[in-house]
Amino acid sequence: MPTDYEKLASDLLAGKTNPALSGKSDALKSLAETQDAQKIKKMLGNGDTVKKAMESGDTAALESIVKNVLSTKEGARLAEELAKMFK
C-alpha cells in the first residue's frame, strides 16, 4: 500500500501520530542532523516564508519552496533518503 504523503505531511504538521512514522523517530532525527539537512535548514532561514505560506494555504509558494529545495543536491539526497525510509 503506497504511503499517502499528503496525509503524512498533514499529520506531521498537526502533531498527530501516523502509522507510517511508527518507529522512525530516531531515523528522522538522525536525518535531520546530517550536513545535507543543515544546509537546507540554513537555506530556509528562520522558516517564516514556509510558515506564512502554510498558514495562508499558499500552495504555489510551498511548491516553489519545495522545488527550490529539491533542485539542490542536498535536497535531492534528503528526498531520496526519506523515500527509502517510507517504502
Coordinates of all heavy atoms in Angstrom, one line a residue:
M1 N 0.8 -1.2 0.0 CA 0.0 0.0 0.0 C 0.9 1.2 0.0 O 1.7 1.4 0.9 CB -0.9 0.0 1.2 CG -1.7 1.2 1.4 SD -2.7 1.2 2.9 CE -4.3 1.2 2.2
P2 N 0.7 2.1 -1.0 CA 1.6 3.3 -1.0 C 1.3 4.3 0.1 O 0.1 4.3 0.7 CB 1.2 4.0 -2.3 CG -0.1 3.4 -2.7 CD -0.2 2.1 -2.1
T3 N 2.3 5.0 0.5 CA 2.1 6.0 1.6 C 1.4 7.2 1.1 O 1.7 7.7 0.0 CB 3.5 6.4 2.1 OG1 4.2 5.3 2.6 CG2 3.4 7.4 3.3
D4 N 0.4 7.7 1.8 CA -0.3 8.9 1.4 C 0.5 10.1 2.0 O 0.4 10.4 3.2 CB -1.7 8.9 2.0 CG -2.6 10.1 1.7 OD1 -2.0 11.1 1.2 OD2 -3.8 10.1 1.9
Y5 N 1.4 10.7 1.2 CA 2.3 11.7 1.6 C 1.6 13.0 2.1 O 2.0 13.6 3.0 CB 3.3 12.0 0.6 CG 4.2 10.8 0.3 CD1 4.2 10.1 -0.8 CD2 5.2 10.5 1.3 CE1 5.0 9.0 -1.0 CE2 6.0 9.5 1.1 CZ 6.0 8.7 0.0 OH 6.8 7.6 -0.2
E6 N 0.4 13.3 1.5 CA -0.3 14.5 1.9 C -0.9 14.3 3.3 O -0.8 15.2 4.2 CB -1.4 14.8 0.9 CG -0.9 15.4 -0.3 CD -2.1 15.8 -1.3 OE1 -3.2 15.9 -0.8 OE2 -1.8 16.0 -2.5
K7 N -1.4 13.1 3.6 CA -1.9 12.7 4.9 C -0.7 12.7 5.9 O -0.8 13.3 7.1 CB -2.6 11.4 4.9 CG -3.0 10.8 6.3 CD -4.3 11.4 6.8 CE -4.8 10.7 8.0 NZ -4.7 11.4 9.2
L8 N 0.4 12.2 5.5 CA 1.6 12.1 6.4 C 2.0 13.5 6.7 O 2.3 13.8 7.9 CB 2.7 11.3 5.7 CG 4.0 11.3 6.4 CD1 3.9 10.5 7.7 CD2 5.0 10.6 5.6
A9 N 2.1 14.4 5.7 CA 2.6 15.8 6.0 C 1.6 16.5 6.9 O 1.9 17.2 7.8 CB 2.7 16.5 4.6
S10 N 0.3 16.3 6.6 CA -0.8 16.9 7.4 C -0.7 16.5 8.9 O -0.8 17.3 9.8 CB -2.1 16.6 6.8 OG -3.1 17.1 7.7
D11 N -0.5 15.2 9.1 CA -0.4 14.7 10.5 C 0.9 15.2 11.1 O 0.8 15.6 12.3 CB -0.3 13.2 10.4 CG -1.7 12.5 10.1 OD1 -2.7 13.3 10.1 OD2 -1.7 11.3 9.9
L12 N 2.0 15.3 10.4 CA 3.2 15.8 11.0 C 3.0 17.3 11.4 O 3.4 17.7 12.5 CB 4.3 15.8 9.9 CG 5.1 14.5 9.8 CD1 6.0 14.6 8.6 CD2 5.9 14.2 11.1
L13 N 2.4 18.1 10.6 CA 2.2 19.5 10.9 C 1.2 19.7 12.0 O 1.4 20.6 12.8 CB 1.7 20.2 9.6 CG 2.7 20.3 8.5 CD1 2.1 20.9 7.2 CD2 3.9 21.1 8.9
A14 N 0.3 18.8 12.2 CA -0.7 18.9 13.2 C -0.2 18.2 14.5 O -0.9 18.2 15.5 CB -2.0 18.3 12.8
G15 N 0.9 17.6 14.5 CA 1.5 16.9 15.7 C 0.7 15.6 16.0 O 0.8 15.1 17.1
K16 N 0.0 15.1 15.0 CA -0.7 13.8 15.1 C 0.3 12.6 14.8 O 1.3 12.8 14.1 CB -1.9 13.7 14.2 CG -2.9 14.8 14.4 CD -4.0 14.6 13.4 CE -5.1 15.7 13.5 NZ -6.1 15.6 12.5
T17 N -0.1 11.5 15.3 CA 0.6 10.3 15.0 C 0.2 9.7 13.7 O -1.0 10.0 13.3 CB 0.5 9.2 16.1 OG1 -0.9 8.9 16.2 CG2 1.0 9.6 17.5
N18 N 1.0 9.0 13.0 CA 0.7 8.4 11.7 C 1.4 7.1 11.7 O 2.6 7.0 12.0 CB 1.2 9.3 10.6 CG 0.8 8.8 9.2 OD1 1.2 7.8 8.8 ND2 -0.1 9.6 8.6
P19 N 0.7 6.0 11.3 CA 1.4 4.7 11.3 C 2.7 4.6 10.4 O 3.6 3.9 10.7 CB 0.3 3.8 10.7 CG -1.0 4.5 10.8 CD -0.6 6.0 10.9
A20 N 2.7 5.4 9.4 CA 3.9 5.5 8.5 C 5.2 6.0 9.3 O 6.3 5.7 8.9 CB 3.7 6.3 7.3
L21 N 4.9 6.7 10.4 CA 6.0 7.3 11.2 C 6.4 6.4 12.3 O 7.4 6.6 12.9 CB 5.6 8.7 11.7 CG 5.4 9.8 10.7 CD1 4.9 11.0 11.4 CD2 6.7 10.1 10.0
S22 N 5.6 5.4 12.6 CA 5.8 4.5 13.7 C 7.2 3.9 13.6 O 7.6 3.3 12.7 CB 4.8 3.4 13.7 OG 5.0 2.5 14.8
G23 N 8.0 4.1 14.7 CA 9.3 3.5 14.8 C 10.4 4.2 14.0 O 11.5 3.8 13.9
K24 N 10.0 5.4 13.4 CA 11.0 6.1 12.6 C 11.5 7.4 13.2 O 12.3 8.1 12.6 CB 10.4 6.4 11.2 CG 10.1 5.1 10.4 CD 9.6 5.5 9.0 CE 9.5 4.3 8.2 NZ 8.6 3.2 8.6
S25 N 11.2 7.6 14.4 CA 11.5 8.9 15.1 C 13.1 9.0 15.2 O 13.6 10.1 14.8 CB 11.0 8.9 16.5 OG 11.4 10.0 17.2
D26 N 13.8 8.0 15.6 CA 15.2 8.1 15.7 C 15.9 8.3 14.3 O 16.8 9.1 14.1 CB 15.8 6.8 16.3 CG 15.5 6.8 17.8 OD1 15.1 7.8 18.4 OD2 15.6 5.7 18.4
A27 N 15.4 7.6 13.3 CA 15.9 7.7 11.9 C 15.7 9.1 11.4 O 16.5 9.7 10.8 CB 15.3 6.7 11.0
L28 N 14.5 9.7 11.7 CA 14.2 11.1 11.2 C 15.1 12.1 11.9 O 15.6 13.0 11.3 CB 12.7 11.4 11.5 CG 11.7 10.7 10.5 CD1 10.3 10.9 11.0 CD2 11.9 11.3 9.1
K29 N 15.3 11.9 13.2 CA 16.2 12.8 14.0 C 17.6 12.7 13.4 O 18.2 13.7 13.3 CB 16.1 12.4 15.5 CG 14.9 12.9 16.2 CD 14.9 12.5 17.6 CE 13.6 12.8 18.3 NZ 13.5 12.3 19.6
S30 N 18.0 11.5 13.1 CA 19.4 11.3 12.6 C 19.5 12.0 11.2 O 20.5 12.7 10.9 CB 19.7 9.9 12.4 OG 19.9 9.3 13.7
L31 N 18.5 11.9 10.4 CA 18.5 12.5 9.1 C 18.5 14.0 9.2 O 19.2 14.7 8.5 CB 17.3 12.0 8.3 CG 17.2 12.5 6.8 CD1 18.4 11.9 6.1 CD2 15.9 11.9 6.2
A32 N 17.8 14.5 10.2 CA 17.7 16.0 10.4 C 19.0 16.6 10.9 O 19.3 17.8 10.7 CB 16.6 16.3 11.4
E33 N 19.9 15.7 11.4 CA 21.2 16.2 11.9 C 22.3 16.1 10.8 O 23.4 16.5 11.1 CB 21.6 15.4 13.1 CG 20.6 15.7 14.3 CD 20.8 14.8 15.5 OE1 21.7 13.8 15.4 OE2 20.2 15.0 16.5
T34 N 22.0 15.6 9.7 CA 23.0 15.4 8.6 C 23.4 16.8 8.1 O 22.7 17.8 8.2 CB 22.5 14.5 7.5 OG1 21.4 15.2 6.8 CG2 22.1 13.2 7.9
Q35 N 24.6 16.8 7.4 CA 25.1 18.0 6.8 C 24.1 18.5 5.7 O 23.9 19.7 5.6 CB 26.4 17.8 6.2 CG 27.6 17.8 7.2 CD 28.9 17.7 6.5 OE1 29.1 17.0 5.5 NE2 29.9 18.4 7.0
D36 N 23.5 17.6 5.0 CA 22.6 18.0 4.0 C 21.4 18.7 4.6 O 20.9 19.8 4.1 CB 22.1 16.8 3.2 CG 23.1 16.2 2.2 OD1 24.0 17.0 1.8 OD2 22.9 15.1 1.8
A37 N 20.8 18.2 5.7 CA 19.7 18.8 6.3 C 20.0 20.1 6.9 O 19.2 21.1 6.8 CB 19.1 17.9 7.4
Q38 N 21.2 20.2 7.4 CA 21.7 21.5 8.0 C 21.8 22.6 6.9 O 21.5 23.7 7.1 CB 23.0 21.4 8.8 CG 22.8 20.5 10.0 CD 21.8 21.0 10.9 OE1 21.7 22.1 11.3 NE2 20.9 20.1 11.3
K39 N 22.3 22.2 5.7 CA 22.4 23.1 4.6 C 21.0 23.6 4.1 O 20.8 24.8 3.8 CB 23.2 22.5 3.4 CG 24.6 22.4 3.7 CD 25.4 21.9 2.5 CE 26.9 21.8 2.9 NZ 27.7 21.2 1.7
I40 N 20.1 22.7 4.1 CA 18.7 23.0 3.7 C 18.1 23.9 4.8 O 17.4 24.9 4.4 CB 17.8 21.8 3.5 CG1 18.4 20.9 2.3 CG2 16.4 22.1 3.3 CD1 18.4 21.6 1.0
K41 N 18.3 23.6 6.0 CA 17.8 24.5 7.1 C 18.3 25.9 7.0 O 17.6 26.9 7.1 CB 18.2 23.9 8.4 CG 17.7 24.6 9.6 CD 18.1 23.9 10.9 CE 17.7 24.7 12.1 NZ 18.1 24.1 13.4
K42 N 19.6 26.0 6.7 CA 20.2 27.3 6.5 C 19.6 28.0 5.3 O 19.4 29.2 5.4 CB 21.7 27.1 6.3 CG 22.6 28.4 6.5 CD 24.0 28.0 6.5 CE 24.9 29.1 7.1 NZ 26.3 28.8 7.1
M43 N 19.4 27.3 4.2 CA 18.8 27.8 3.0 C 17.4 28.4 3.3 O 17.0 29.5 2.8 CB 18.7 26.8 2.0 CG 18.2 27.2 0.6 SD 18.2 25.8 -0.5 CE 16.5 25.7 -0.9
L44 N 16.7 27.8 4.2 CA 15.3 28.2 4.5 C 15.2 29.3 5.5 O 14.2 29.9 5.8 CB 14.5 27.0 5.0 CG 14.2 25.9 3.9 CD1 13.5 24.7 4.6 CD2 13.4 26.4 2.8
G45 N 16.4 29.6 6.1 CA 16.5 30.7 7.1 C 15.6 30.4 8.3 O 15.6 29.3 8.8
N46 N 14.9 31.4 8.8 CA 14.1 31.2 10.0 C 12.8 30.5 9.8 O 12.0 30.3 10.7 CB 13.9 32.5 10.8 CG 13.1 33.5 9.9 OD1 12.6 33.2 8.9 ND2 13.1 34.8 10.4
G47 N 12.5 30.2 8.6 CA 11.2 29.5 8.2 C 10.0 30.3 8.1 O 8.9 29.8 7.9
D48 N 10.1 31.6 8.3 CA 8.9 32.5 8.2 C 8.2 32.3 6.9 O 7.0 32.3 6.8 CB 9.3 33.9 8.4 CG 9.5 34.3 9.9 OD1 9.1 33.4 10.8 OD2 10.0 35.3 10.2
T49 N 8.9 32.2 5.8 CA 8.3 32.1 4.5 C 7.5 30.9 4.4 O 6.3 30.9 3.9 CB 9.4 32.2 3.3 OG1 10.2 33.3 3.5 CG2 8.7 32.1 2.0
V50 N 8.0 29.8 4.9 CA 7.3 28.5 4.8 C 6.1 28.6 5.7 O 5.0 28.2 5.3 CB 8.3 27.3 5.3 CG1 7.5 26.0 5.4 CG2 9.4 27.2 4.4
K51 N 6.3 29.1 6.9 CA 5.2 29.2 7.9 C 4.0 30.0 7.3 O 2.9 29.6 7.4 CB 5.7 29.8 9.2 CG 4.7 29.9 10.3 CD 5.2 30.4 11.6 CE 4.1 30.5 12.6 NZ 4.6 31.0 13.9
K52 N 4.4 31.2 6.8 CA 3.3 32.1 6.2 C 2.6 31.4 5.1 O 1.4 31.5 5.0 CB 3.9 33.4 5.8 CG 4.3 34.3 6.9 CD 5.0 35.6 6.4 CE 5.5 36.4 7.6 NZ 6.2 37.6 7.1
A53 N 3.3 30.7 4.2 CA 2.7 30.0 3.1 C 1.8 28.9 3.6 O 0.7 28.7 3.0 CB 3.8 29.5 2.1
M54 N 2.2 28.2 4.6 CA 1.4 27.1 5.1 C 0.1 27.7 5.8 O -1.0 27.2 5.6 CB 2.2 26.3 6.1 CG 3.2 25.4 5.5 SD 4.3 24.6 6.6 CE 3.2 23.6 7.5
E55 N 0.3 28.7 6.6 CA -0.8 29.3 7.3 C -1.9 29.9 6.4 O -3.1 29.8 6.6 CB -0.4 30.4 8.3 CG 0.4 29.8 9.5 CD 1.0 30.8 10.4 OE1 1.1 32.0 10.0 OE2 1.3 30.5 11.5
S56 N -1.4 30.4 5.3 CA -2.3 31.1 4.3 C -2.8 30.1 3.3 O -3.7 30.5 2.4 CB -1.7 32.3 3.6 OG -0.6 31.9 2.8
G57 N -2.3 28.9 3.3 CA -2.7 27.9 2.3 C -2.2 28.2 0.9 O -2.7 27.8 -0.1
D58 N -1.1 29.0 0.8 CA -0.5 29.4 -0.5 C 0.3 28.2 -1.1 O 1.5 28.1 -0.9 CB 0.4 30.6 -0.3 CG 1.0 31.2 -1.6 OD1 0.8 30.5 -2.6 OD2 1.5 32.3 -1.5
T59 N -0.4 27.3 -1.8 CA 0.3 26.1 -2.3 C 1.3 26.4 -3.4 O 2.3 25.7 -3.5 CB -0.8 25.1 -2.8 OG1 -1.6 25.8 -3.8 CG2 -1.6 24.6 -1.7
A60 N 1.1 27.5 -4.1 CA 2.1 27.9 -5.1 C 3.4 28.3 -4.5 O 4.5 27.9 -5.0 CB 1.5 29.1 -6.0
A61 N 3.4 29.0 -3.4 CA 4.6 29.4 -2.7 C 5.3 28.1 -2.1 O 6.5 28.0 -2.2 CB 4.3 30.4 -1.6
L62 N 4.5 27.2 -1.5 CA 5.0 26.0 -0.9 C 5.7 25.1 -2.0 O 6.7 24.6 -1.8 CB 4.0 25.2 -0.2 CG 3.5 25.8 1.1 CD1 2.3 25.1 1.7 CD2 4.6 25.8 2.2
E63 N 5.0 25.1 -3.2 CA 5.5 24.3 -4.3 C 6.8 24.9 -4.8 O 7.8 24.1 -5.0 CB 4.5 24.3 -5.4 CG 4.8 23.3 -6.5 CD 3.6 23.2 -7.5 OE1 2.5 23.0 -7.1 OE2 3.9 23.3 -8.7
S64 N 6.9 26.2 -4.8 CA 8.1 26.8 -5.2 C 9.3 26.6 -4.2 O 10.4 26.3 -4.6 CB 7.9 28.4 -5.3 OG 9.1 29.0 -5.6
I65 N 9.0 26.6 -2.9 CA 10.0 26.3 -1.9 C 10.5 24.9 -2.1 O 11.7 24.6 -2.0 CB 9.4 26.5 -0.5 CG1 9.1 28.0 -0.3 CG2 10.3 26.0 0.6 CD1 8.3 28.4 0.9
V66 N 9.6 23.9 -2.2 CA 9.9 22.5 -2.4 C 10.8 22.3 -3.6 O 11.8 21.6 -3.6 CB 8.7 21.6 -2.4 CG1 9.1 20.2 -2.8 CG2 8.0 21.6 -1.1
K67 N 10.4 23.0 -4.7 CA 11.2 22.9 -6.0 C 12.6 23.4 -5.8 O 13.6 22.8 -6.3 CB 10.5 23.6 -7.1 CG 9.3 22.8 -7.7 CD 8.7 23.6 -8.9 CE 7.5 22.8 -9.4 NZ 6.8 23.5 -10.5
N68 N 12.7 24.5 -5.1 CA 14.0 25.1 -4.8 C 14.9 24.2 -4.0 O 16.0 24.0 -4.2 CB 13.9 26.5 -4.1 CG 13.4 27.6 -5.0 OD1 13.6 27.5 -6.2 ND2 12.8 28.6 -4.5
V69 N 14.3 23.6 -3.0 CA 15.0 22.7 -2.1 C 15.4 21.4 -2.9 O 16.6 21.0 -2.9 CB 14.2 22.2 -0.9 CG1 14.8 21.1 -0.1 CG2 14.0 23.4 0.1
L70 N 14.5 20.9 -3.7 CA 14.8 19.6 -4.4 C 15.8 19.9 -5.6 O 16.4 18.9 -6.1 CB 13.5 19.0 -4.9 CG 12.6 18.4 -3.8 CD1 11.3 17.9 -4.5 CD2 13.3 17.4 -3.0
S71 N 15.9 21.1 -6.0 CA 16.8 21.4 -7.1 C 18.3 21.4 -6.6 O 19.2 21.5 -7.4 CB 16.5 22.8 -7.7 OG 16.8 23.8 -6.8
T72 N 18.5 21.4 -5.3 CA 19.9 21.3 -4.7 C 20.2 19.9 -4.6 O 19.4 19.0 -4.4 CB 20.0 22.0 -3.4 OG1 19.2 21.3 -2.4 CG2 19.5 23.5 -3.4
K73 N 21.5 19.6 -4.6 CA 22.0 18.2 -4.5 C 21.7 17.7 -3.0 O 21.3 16.6 -2.8 CB 23.5 18.1 -4.8 CG 24.4 18.9 -4.0 CD 25.8 18.8 -4.5 CE 26.7 19.8 -3.7 NZ 27.9 20.2 -4.4
E74 N 21.7 18.6 -2.1 CA 21.4 18.2 -0.7 C 19.9 17.9 -0.5 O 19.6 16.9 0.1 CB 21.8 19.4 0.3 CG 23.2 19.7 0.4 CD 23.7 20.7 -0.7 OE1 22.9 21.2 -1.5 OE2 24.9 21.0 -0.8
G75 N 19.1 18.7 -1.1 CA 17.7 18.4 -1.1 C 17.3 17.1 -1.8 O 16.5 16.4 -1.3
A76 N 17.9 16.9 -2.9 CA 17.7 15.6 -3.7 C 18.1 14.4 -2.8 O 17.4 13.4 -2.8 CB 18.4 15.7 -5.0
R77 N 19.2 14.5 -2.2 CA 19.7 13.4 -1.3 C 18.8 13.2 -0.2 O 18.4 12.0 0.2 CB 21.1 13.6 -0.9 CG 22.2 13.4 -1.9 CD 23.6 13.4 -1.3 NE 24.0 14.6 -0.7 CZ 24.8 15.5 -1.3 NH1 25.4 15.2 -2.5 NH2 25.2 16.6 -0.6
L78 N 18.3 14.3 0.5 CA 17.4 14.1 1.6 C 16.1 13.5 1.1 O 15.5 12.6 1.8 CB 17.1 15.5 2.2 CG 18.1 16.0 3.2 CD1 17.8 17.4 3.6 CD2 18.3 15.1 4.4
A79 N 15.6 13.9 0.0 CA 14.3 13.4 -0.5 C 14.5 11.9 -0.8 O 13.6 11.1 -0.5 CB 13.9 14.1 -1.8
E80 N 15.6 11.5 -1.3 CA 15.9 10.1 -1.6 C 15.9 9.3 -0.3 O 15.4 8.2 -0.3 CB 17.2 10.0 -2.4 CG 17.5 8.6 -2.8 CD 18.8 8.5 -3.6 OE1 19.2 9.4 -4.3 OE2 19.5 7.5 -3.5
E81 N 16.6 9.8 0.7 CA 16.6 9.1 2.0 C 15.2 9.0 2.6 O 14.9 8.0 3.2 CB 17.6 9.8 2.9 CG 19.0 9.7 2.6 CD 19.5 8.2 2.5 OE1 19.2 7.5 3.4 OE2 20.2 7.9 1.5
L82 N 14.4 10.0 2.5 CA 13.1 10.0 3.0 C 12.2 8.9 2.3 O 11.5 8.2 2.9 CB 12.4 11.3 3.0 CG 12.9 12.4 4.0 CD1 12.3 13.8 3.7 CD2 12.4 11.9 5.4
A83 N 12.4 8.9 1.0 CA 11.6 8.0 0.2 C 12.0 6.5 0.6 O 11.1 5.7 0.7 CB 11.9 8.2 -1.3
K84 N 13.3 6.3 0.8 CA 13.7 4.9 1.2 C 13.1 4.6 2.6 O 12.7 3.5 2.8 CB 15.3 4.9 1.3 CG 16.0 4.9 0.0 CD 17.5 4.8 0.3 CE 18.3 5.1 -0.9 NZ 19.7 5.2 -0.7
M85 N 13.1 5.6 3.5 CA 12.6 5.4 4.8 C 11.1 5.0 4.9 O 10.7 4.2 5.7 CB 12.8 6.7 5.6 CG 12.7 6.5 7.1 SD 12.9 8.1 8.0 CE 14.6 8.5 7.5
F86 N 10.4 5.5 3.9 CA 8.9 5.3 3.9 C 8.5 4.2 2.9 O 7.3 4.1 2.7 CB 8.2 6.6 3.7 CG 8.3 7.5 4.9 CD1 9.1 8.6 4.9 CD2 7.6 7.2 6.1 CE1 9.3 9.4 6.0 CE2 7.8 8.0 7.2 CZ 8.6 9.1 7.1
K87 N 9.4 3.4 2.4 CA 9.0 2.3 1.5 C 8.6 1.1 2.3 O 9.0 0.9 3.3 CB 10.1 2.0 0.5 CG 10.2 3.0 -0.6 CD 11.2 2.5 -1.7 CE 11.1 3.4 -2.8 NZ 12.0 3.0 -3.9

